[in-house]
Amino acid sequence: LPSFNLFAEIVFPVPLKQVFTYGVSPALEGSIQPGMRCSVSFGRRQTVGLVTGLSRVAPNVPNLKSINSLMDIQPCLTPDLLKLGQWMADYYYCSVGEALFAMMPSGYRKNPKAFLGLKAEAQREAVESLLAQAGALRGVKWDNLKAGTVPVTARIKPLMEALKKSGLLELKLGEPGEMKSREKQTHETKQGPALHPQQQAALSAIEGALKEGGFKTFLLQGVTGSGKTEIYLRAIALVLEAGKQAIVLIPEIALTPQTVERFTSRFGDRVAVLHSRLGAGERVRQWESMATGDASVVVGARSALFAPAKNLGLIVVDEEHESSYKQDESPRYNARDAAIKRAQLVGGIAVLGSATPSLESLHNAKAGKYGLLLMPDRVNQKPLPKMRLVDLKEEWKTRGADRPILSLPLEEAIRETLAKGEQTLLFLNRRGFSTVALCLQCGEQLQCPSCSVPVTFHKSGGTKNEQTLLCHYCNWQGPLPEKCPSCKGGPIRLVGLGTERIEDEIAKKFPEARVARMDLDTTRRMGSHESILKKIMKKEVDILIGTQMVAKGHDFPGVTLVGVVGADTGLALPDFRSSERVFQLLVQVAGRAGRADKEGIIYLQTFNPEHPSIKAASVYDFQAFGEQELALRKMLFYPPFSRLGLLVYRSKVEKNASQAAEQTARFLRAQKGSGVEIFGPAPAAIAKLRGQYRFQILMKSEKPGPIRQVLALLDSKIETPKGVLRVVDLDPQSLL
DNA sequence: ACCAGTAATATC
DNA sequence: ATATTACTGGTT
């Protein structure tokens, strides 16, 4: 029986809240460090674990295993990331392993990191001794190796290249493309434009905090066109001058070449870029470039927050209100909030930017937790484009049975815009042709067979790009029946608008116009996104119809008219954030009009012209919206005045899910004095999803701590029944 | 007797 | 989460 004098605490990407202890063989004692990956046998599998700690004290476990090999020469996660992982596990109620592995590029989970293929077994000894000298084989066990391969545990690119050239071996597999060096862009670092006074003031505040040193968060609230990005660029420049690194987070949807170009043109090849369309190898390369110092700035979506910057000074979170910063699978972290935590851990600056900040951030700024930087004016000194409300109730009244999709004022505006040779953007946040298929005889709505949602009719789209019924939640597809399947006779009527329907309407009304549609269905194919954008830029499109994805992050210089076909869309959702979302989206989409020198105008078609959120949005009155919404949230004890935790119980058997939720709610309610209010259980807004029934419990508390405590108590007393899956979501982004 | 499909079980 | 084993229930 082997005995060890050093033991490693190791975590895995599994939802188990235990830390596992392995023996460290004498050969590894000198090199092992927290933050290194290792290859170990775990349960019945051989897998990758992460060392989180070391101890001289022998654990009291019956059959201790030992580490097979180390996969890193240097820790792949920095000390602050290790701490951030602990915080995430604690805060979001997940395992440390889930949190830490979520930080790494997916290629890092695979075991082993790379193989070198020997050309001849006889050369093994020579190659091994070379690699051993380089420290690349430290602690590698040879038992379960395929003949002719050598597992390489570390980043030793130059050596591997040299070996390959020598003809001794060839690179066989591992992380694809890793051997390519990071592409170097040629660049001229451009000087930024001169700052106007509001920008100057904002930058000075950030500069002051940088000089002072230490942790600080700013909320940069600036209207569309106020030059927020220039502030980011200047702040980054200051950080780089100080020899530090910066992280810039952008919502995935805005991570277009246009946006990235602003950073690369200023900082050239010091910029690493991380986005969802990168391959595994390229992602690893970009990620590692922050660790080696090849890059000093990383621009990316949510997970770019975890770039292994060794000398981090600044984190920018652009469009901080965006819900896409919240990960919708475990670990369910919000990258904006985790960014603030990371800035705190490294004693750096966090800058949250938005034209329409979240109420959480607004509240924190008002409370003095964040420095508030306001930029209410546009750089070009022009007023924001006017928004005009069109009351669809009136429109429908006067035009009778017509029930027009486009109101007369909007139609007229489109005609004028076409005549002037300018571009129109029509926005509706629903894809497909119709939103509901209804039986005219029995009134039945056609539903998805495995979800409790109506199916959308698509004229094109689907897998074969043919007409189909589609479930937007599980992607189920089926034919449109001639007769109602429920009453076996009634004719089916397609009700409700989607972007395809608008496309039809425009073709009828403006047959001469060149039309493009941009939504999930037209951009699914690689590169089609870019090709549509290019057409718009080249003025080969007169009218662009789109969903959310046209509302965010794009700069369409030729667009002077924006028509919001249904400004109320989303307002009726049973979610406490629905009016916040609508407000933000309307202001956002309005920002697409008249960005260049020509003036723009926005038409908002609505059935609720008196709705406070729509009214406030129509005059860009964030102040009014914020105050009215904060008052409401305070009254209802919703965030930012409370913290929420959502428990979802899912099961294929409805009773199992509902009973598990009932039992939990009973237990939670019985914990008097816990400081947590319990609501529910209730069926989720989408009661059945992908064949699973869902029941929810909502927890409210003044501070986040009590929710975690009561959950821990729950877990120590009650086990989730078999066949039921429980999801815990802290600071949920949506209660649906 | 046998196989696929599903539930149960443990993970240093 | 995941790999493996145990257990169904229905067929050859």
Side-chain angles (χ1 to χ4, degrees), chain A residues 20-22 42-43 63 65:
Chain A
F20 296 86
T21 312
Y22 285 76
F42 177 59
N63 47 358
K65 291 181 184 173

CSV table of all heavy atoms in Angstrom, one decimal, chain A residues 20-22 42-43 63 65, chain B residues 6-12:
chain,number,residue,atom,x,y,z
A,20,PHE,N,-12.5,16.3,-3.5
A,20,PHE,CA,-12.0,14.9,-3.4
A,20,PHE,C,-10.5,15.0,-3.2
A,20,PHE,O,-9.8,16.0,-3.7
A,20,PHE,CB,-12.3,14.2,-4.7
A,20,PHE,CG,-13.7,13.9,-4.9
A,20,PHE,CD1,-14.5,14.9,-5.5
A,20,PHE,CD2,-14.3,12.8,-4.4
A,20,PHE,CE1,-15.9,14.7,-5.6
A,20,PHE,CE2,-15.7,12.6,-4.6
A,20,PHE,CZ,-16.5,13.5,-5.2
A,21,THR,N,-10.0,14.1,-2.4
A,21,THR,CA,-8.5,14.1,-2.0
A,21,THR,C,-7.8,13.0,-2.7
A,21,THR,O,-8.3,11.9,-2.7
A,21,THR,CB,-8.4,14.1,-0.5
A,21,THR,OG1,-9.2,15.0,0.1
A,21,THR,CG2,-6.9,14.4,-0.1
A,22,TYR,N,-6.7,13.3,-3.3
A,22,TYR,CA,-5.9,12.3,-4.0
A,22,TYR,C,-4.5,12.4,-3.4
A,22,TYR,O,-4.0,13.5,-3.0
A,22,TYR,CB,-5.8,12.5,-5.5
A,22,TYR,CG,-7.1,12.1,-6.2
A,22,TYR,CD1,-8.2,12.9,-6.2
A,22,TYR,CD2,-7.1,11.0,-7.0
A,22,TYR,CE1,-9.4,12.6,-6.8
A,22,TYR,CE2,-8.3,10.6,-7.7
A,22,TYR,CZ,-9.4,11.4,-7.6
A,22,TYR,OH,-10.5,11.0,-8.3
A,42,PHE,N,-11.5,8.8,-11.6
A,42,PHE,CA,-12.6,9.4,-10.8
A,42,PHE,C,-13.8,8.5,-11.0
A,42,PHE,O,-14.4,8.5,-12.1
A,42,PHE,CB,-12.9,10.8,-11.2
A,42,PHE,CG,-14.0,11.5,-10.4
A,42,PHE,CD1,-13.9,11.6,-9.0
A,42,PHE,CD2,-15.1,12.0,-11.1
A,42,PHE,CE1,-15.0,12.2,-8.3
A,42,PHE,CE2,-16.1,12.6,-10.4
A,42,PHE,CZ,-16.1,12.7,-9.0
A,43,GLY,N,-14.2,7.8,-10.0
A,43,GLY,CA,-15.3,6.8,-10.2
A,43,GLY,C,-14.7,5.7,-11.1
A,43,GLY,O,-13.6,5.2,-10.9
A,63,ASN,N,-10.3,4.1,0.3
A,63,ASN,CA,-9.3,3.8,-0.7
A,63,ASN,C,-8.9,5.0,-1.5
A,63,ASN,O,-9.5,5.4,-2.5
A,63,ASN,CB,-9.9,2.7,-1.7
A,63,ASN,CG,-11.3,3.0,-2.1
A,63,ASN,OD1,-11.9,4.0,-1.6
A,63,ASN,ND2,-11.9,2.2,-2.9
A,65,LYS,N,-6.9,7.3,-3.9
A,65,LYS,CA,-6.2,7.1,-5.2
A,65,LYS,C,-5.2,8.2,-5.3
A,65,LYS,O,-5.2,9.2,-4.5
A,65,LYS,CB,-7.2,7.2,-6.3
A,65,LYS,CG,-8.2,6.1,-6.4
A,65,LYS,CD,-9.1,6.3,-7.6
A,65,LYS,CE,-10.2,5.2,-7.6
A,65,LYS,NZ,-11.2,5.5,-8.7
B,6,DT,P,-36.0,4.6,-22.8
B,6,DT,OP1,-37.3,5.3,-23.0
B,6,DT,OP2,-34.8,5.2,-23.2
B,6,DT,O5',-35.9,4.2,-21.2
B,6,DT,C5',-37.0,3.5,-20.6
B,6,DT,C4',-36.6,3.3,-19.1
B,6,DT,O4',-35.5,2.3,-19.1
B,6,DT,C3',-36.1,4.5,-18.4
B,6,DT,O3',-36.7,4.5,-17.1
B,6,DT,C2',-34.6,4.3,-18.3
B,6,DT,C1',-34.5,2.8,-18.2
B,6,DT,N1,-33.2,2.2,-18.5
B,6,DT,C2,-32.7,1.2,-17.6
B,6,DT,O2,-33.2,0.9,-16.6
B,6,DT,N3,-31.5,0.7,-18.0
B,6,DT,C4,-30.7,1.1,-19.1
B,6,DT,O4,-29.6,0.5,-19.3
B,6,DT,C5,-31.3,2.0,-20.0
B,6,DT,C7,-30.6,2.5,-21.2
B,6,DT,C6,-32.5,2.6,-19.6
B,7,DA,P,-36.9,5.8,-16.2
B,7,DA,OP1,-38.3,6.2,-16.3
B,7,DA,OP2,-35.8,6.8,-16.6
B,7,DA,O5',-36.5,5.3,-14.8
B,7,DA,C5',-37.0,4.0,-14.3
B,7,DA,C4',-36.0,3.4,-13.3
B,7,DA,O4',-34.9,2.9,-14.0
B,7,DA,C3',-35.6,4.4,-12.2
B,7,DA,O3',-35.7,3.8,-11.0
B,7,DA,C2',-34.1,4.7,-12.6
B,7,DA,C1',-33.7,3.4,-13.3
B,7,DA,N9,-32.6,3.4,-14.2
B,7,DA,C8,-32.6,4.2,-15.4
B,7,DA,N7,-31.5,4.0,-16.1
B,7,DA,C5,-30.8,3.1,-15.3
B,7,DA,C6,-29.5,2.5,-15.6
B,7,DA,N6,-28.7,2.8,-16.6
B,7,DA,N1,-29.1,1.6,-14.6
B,7,DA,C2,-29.8,1.4,-13.6
B,7,DA,N3,-31.0,1.9,-13.3
B,7,DA,C4,-31.4,2.7,-14.2
B,8,DA,P,-35.3,4.6,-9.6
B,8,DA,OP1,-36.3,4.1,-8.6
B,8,DA,OP2,-35.2,6.0,-9.9
B,8,DA,O5',-33.9,4.0,-9.3
B,8,DA,C5',-33.7,2.6,-9.2
B,8,DA,C4',-32.3,2.3,-8.8
B,8,DA,O4',-31.4,2.5,-9.9
B,8,DA,C3',-31.7,3.1,-7.6
B,8,DA,O3',-31.0,2.2,-6.8
B,8,DA,C2',-30.9,4.1,-8.4
B,8,DA,C1',-30.3,3.3,-9.5
B,8,DA,N9,-30.0,4.0,-10.8
B,8,DA,C8,-30.6,5.0,-11.4
B,8,DA,N7,-30.1,5.4,-12.5
B,8,DA,C5,-28.9,4.6,-12.6
B,8,DA,C6,-27.9,4.6,-13.5
B,8,DA,N6,-27.8,5.3,-14.6
B,8,DA,N1,-26.9,3.7,-13.3
B,8,DA,C2,-27.0,2.9,-12.3
B,8,DA,N3,-27.9,2.8,-11.3
B,8,DA,C4,-28.8,3.7,-11.5
B,9,DT,P,-30.4,2.7,-5.4
B,9,DT,OP1,-30.5,1.6,-4.5
B,9,DT,OP2,-31.0,4.0,-5.0
B,9,DT,O5',-28.9,3.0,-5.8
B,9,DT,C5',-28.1,1.9,-6.3
B,9,DT,C4',-26.7,2.4,-6.5
B,9,DT,O4',-26.6,3.0,-7.8
B,9,DT,C3',-26.2,3.5,-5.5
B,9,DT,O3',-25.0,3.0,-5.0
B,9,DT,C2',-26.1,4.7,-6.4
B,9,DT,C1',-25.8,4.1,-7.7
B,9,DT,N1,-26.1,5.0,-8.9
B,9,DT,C2,-25.3,5.1,-10.0
B,9,DT,O2,-24.3,4.4,-10.0
B,9,DT,N3,-25.7,6.0,-10.9
B,9,DT,C4,-26.8,6.8,-11.0
B,9,DT,O4,-27.0,7.5,-11.9
B,9,DT,C5,-27.6,6.7,-9.8
B,9,DT,C7,-28.8,7.5,-9.7
B,9,DT,C6,-27.3,5.8,-8.8
B,10,DA,P,-24.6,3.7,-3.6
B,10,DA,OP1,-24.6,2.6,-2.6
B,10,DA,OP2,-25.3,5.0,-3.3
B,10,DA,O5',-23.1,4.1,-3.9
B,10,DA,C5',-22.3,3.2,-4.6
B,10,DA,C4',-21.2,4.0,-5.3
B,10,DA,O4',-21.7,4.6,-6.5
B,10,DA,C3',-20.6,5.1,-4.5
B,10,DA,O3',-19.2,4.9,-4.4
B,10,DA,C2',-21.0,6.4,-5.1
B,10,DA,C1',-21.3,6.0,-6.5
B,10,DA,N9,-22.3,6.8,-7.2
B,10,DA,C8,-23.5,7.2,-6.6
B,10,DA,N7,-24.2,8.0,-7.4
B,10,DA,C5,-23.5,8.0,-8.6
B,10,DA,C6,-23.7,8.6,-9.8
B,10,DA,N6,-24.8,9.3,-10.1
B,10,DA,N1,-22.8,8.4,-10.8
B,10,DA,C2,-21.7,7.6,-10.5
B,10,DA,N3,-21.4,7.0,-9.4
B,10,DA,C4,-22.3,7.2,-8.5
B,11,DT,P,-18.3,6.0,-3.6
B,11,DT,OP1,-17.2,5.2,-2.9
B,11,DT,OP2,-19.1,6.9,-2.8
B,11,DT,O5',-17.7,6.8,-4.8
B,11,DT,C5',-17.1,6.2,-5.9
B,11,DT,C4',-16.7,7.2,-6.9
B,11,DT,O4',-17.9,7.8,-7.5
B,11,DT,C3',-15.9,8.3,-6.3
B,11,DT,O3',-14.8,8.6,-7.1
B,11,DT,C2',-16.9,9.5,-6.3
B,11,DT,C1',-17.8,9.2,-7.5
B,11,DT,N1,-19.1,9.7,-7.5
B,11,DT,C2,-19.7,10.2,-8.6
B,11,DT,O2,-19.1,10.2,-9.7
B,11,DT,N3,-21.0,10.7,-8.5
B,11,DT,C4,-21.7,10.7,-7.3
B,11,DT,O4,-22.9,11.2,-7.4
B,11,DT,C5,-21.1,10.2,-6.2
B,11,DT,C7,-21.8,10.2,-4.8
B,11,DT,C6,-19.8,9.8,-6.3
B,12,DC,P,-13.4,8.0,-6.8
B,12,DC,OP1,-12.4,8.7,-7.6
B,12,DC,OP2,-13.6,6.5,-6.9
B,12,DC,O5',-13.4,8.3,-5.3
B,12,DC,C5',-12.3,7.9,-4.5
B,12,DC,C4',-11.2,8.8,-4.6
B,12,DC,O4',-11.6,10.2,-4.2
B,12,DC,C3',-10.1,8.5,-3.7
B,12,DC,O3',-8.9,9.0,-4.1
B,12,DC,C2',-10.5,9.1,-2.4
B,12,DC,C1',-11.2,10.4,-2.9
B,12,DC,N1,-12.5,10.7,-2.1
B,12,DC,C2,-12.4,11.6,-1.0
B,12,DC,O2,-11.2,12.1,-0.7
B,12,DC,N3,-13.5,11.9,-0.3
B,12,DC,C4,-14.7,11.4,-0.7
B,12,DC,N4,-15.7,11.8,0.1
B,12,DC,C5,-14.8,10.5,-1.7
B,12,DC,C6,-13.7,10.2,-2.4
